[in-house]
Amino acid sequence: FGFEPVKLGTQFFVIFTGIDCEFFHFDLNLRMLEELGNMGFMLYNQVQSRTDELAGKTFVLTGTLATMTRDEASELIKKNGGKLLTLCSACHNVIKRTNEDMKTNADIAFRANNYLKLDEAYAGETEVIHYLELLRDYVGFDKIKEKVVNPLKGKKIGAYYGCLLLRPSSVLAFDNPENPTIIEDFIKAIGATPVVYAMRNECCGAYVSLTTNDLAKKRCESVLKSASDAGAEMLVTACPLCMYNLTENGNGTVGVKYFTELLAEALGVK
């Protein structure tokens, strides 16, 4: 597996790429790396072993790992003192909830550690954050606004949170689950106008699209109609599965983009 360390001022973040050839195959990941460089991060290649030199750094865990499971990778990150950075809301939801279970559920922790047979039992010490949180809490939306060279002025964009980014709120602690603002603040930072609509926090039905496709279509059409009626010209999401489902099973009235695509466009790296 590979590590891509980046530095912003005195803060260090390490991107954990999984299998490099897979990570660099996807445009969304490449845009993310370009965005980090544009926002002032210094990006360089480095492979790290088990050391204590990663304290305070942040990892991106993505793709299939060549030499270990995701749990084993999380344990390696924990031992080296790093944070785990996720790019998609589904991954973020699963990993952060699992991490919470390892902290609070003794039975799950016992069985997981018994299966993994790690040198030291894992108890959920790794901090899990989302790329949107990195942009908000470490870079700052004001800083992003300063870096924008192609503001998306005049574009009316609805934020689609879906069901995985915010819930369960007691575990994810991402934003207000009923009235979130993080994606709307992101939209403002890139120069566009956020549109708030009724179904921005509702499920799109992606998880039943293979077994009950008609239901998934109805869910998608309801979300897109709600956004369109409120004046949205497009939606932006942080979930690749939601983006796919809304695009494939929607009625096409409103386009759907991944948030890194719009950020890349605004920063002039697309």
Side-chain angles (χ1 to χ4, degrees):
F1 52 89
F3 294 88
E4 295 292 333
V6 293
K7 179 181 179 181
L8 179 63
T10 59
Q11 295 195 68
F12 288 85
F13 303 87
V14 179
I15 302 171
F16 184 82
T17 60
I19 299 176
D20 284 342
C21 62
E22 290 188 3
F23 181 86
F24 293 106
H25 178 73
F26 294 102
D27 287 342
L28 295 179
N29 294 333
L30 295 177
R31 290 194 187 108
M32 184 267 299
L33 294 176
E34 290 185 80
E35 291 159 8
L36 290 174
N38 191 285
M39 289 183 287
F41 287 85
M42 293 184 292
L43 181 65
Y44 57 96
N45 294 322
Q46 181 176 338
V47 176
Q48 286 279 3
S49 60
R50 289 177 177 262
T51 73
D52 59 356
E53 298 178 356
L54 305 183
K57 299 181 181 180
T58 302
F59 294 79
V60 173
L61 179 59
T62 183
T64 302
L65 310 185
T67 60
M68 63 181 69
T69 67
R70 284 174 179 260
D71 287 334
E72 290 169 332
S74 295
E75 169 67 8
L76 175 60
I77 293 167
K78 184 263 292 188
K79 282 193 171 184
N80 289 321
K83 295 183 178 70
L84 181 62
L85 181 67
T86 60
L87 297 179
C88 111
S89 59
C91 298
H92 182 72
N93 186 285
V94 171
I95 294 174
K96 194 158 188 178
R97 287 170 60 197
T98 300
N99 208 47
E100 183 68 13
D101 285 339
M102 296 297 288
K103 292 180 185 178
T104 61
N105 191 311
D107 180 58
I108 289 177
F110 173 79
R111 288 188 286 124
N113 281 307
N114 188 54
Y115 174 79
L116 292 171
K117 299 186 185 304
L118 302 170
D119 293 337
E120 180 183 343
Y122 179 67
E125 297 91 342
T126 300
E127 182 181 353
V128 182
I129 64 173
H130 190 278
Y131 186 35
L132 280 170
E133 292 178 292
L134 175 74
L135 298 178
R136 179 189 64 189
D137 301 334
Y138 292 89
V139 178
F141 287 135
D142 288 342
K143 180 69 173 180
I144 291 174
K145 187 175 182 179
E146 294 175 5
K147 292 290 185 178
V148 168
V149 297
N150 181 32
L152 308 186
K153 292 181 179 179
K155 291 189 177 182
K156 298 178 180 180
I157 304 174
Y160 182 65
Y161 291 89
C163 59
L164 294 175
L165 196 59
L166 303 170
R167 307 180 187 94
S169 60
S170 60
V171 176
L172 298 184
F174 187 83
D175 204 344
N176 186 317
E178 301 300 327
N179 187 31
T181 61
I182 187 170
I183 300 182
E184 283 82 4
D185 291 340
F186 166 78
I187 292 170
K188 292 177 185 177
I190 60 176
T193 301
V195 176
V196 177
Y197 59 102
M199 294 195 68
R200 63 191 179 131
N201 302 347
E202 300 298 322
C203 179
C204 69
Y207 278 106
V208 299
S209 60
L210 294 179
T211 58
T212 317
N213 191 250
D214 288 344
L215 177 59
K217 285 182 176 293
K218 289 179 181 179
R219 297 295 301 174
C220 289
E221 289 173 359
S222 295
V223 170
L224 294 176
K225 184 178 187 306
S226 176
S228 179
D229 288 348
E233 300 168 344
M234 75 168 64
L235 295 184
V236 60
T237 184
C239 176
L241 184 58
C242 292
M243 182 177 72
Y244 175 84
N245 191 44
L246 289 168
T247 301
E248 295 299 317
N249 286 319
N251 52 23
T253 56
V254 179
V256 185
K257 295 285 187 179
Y258 203 65
F259 75 102
T260 57
E261 293 182 278
L262 294 186
L263 180 58
E265 181 179 349
L267 295 178
V269 299
K270 182 176 181 179

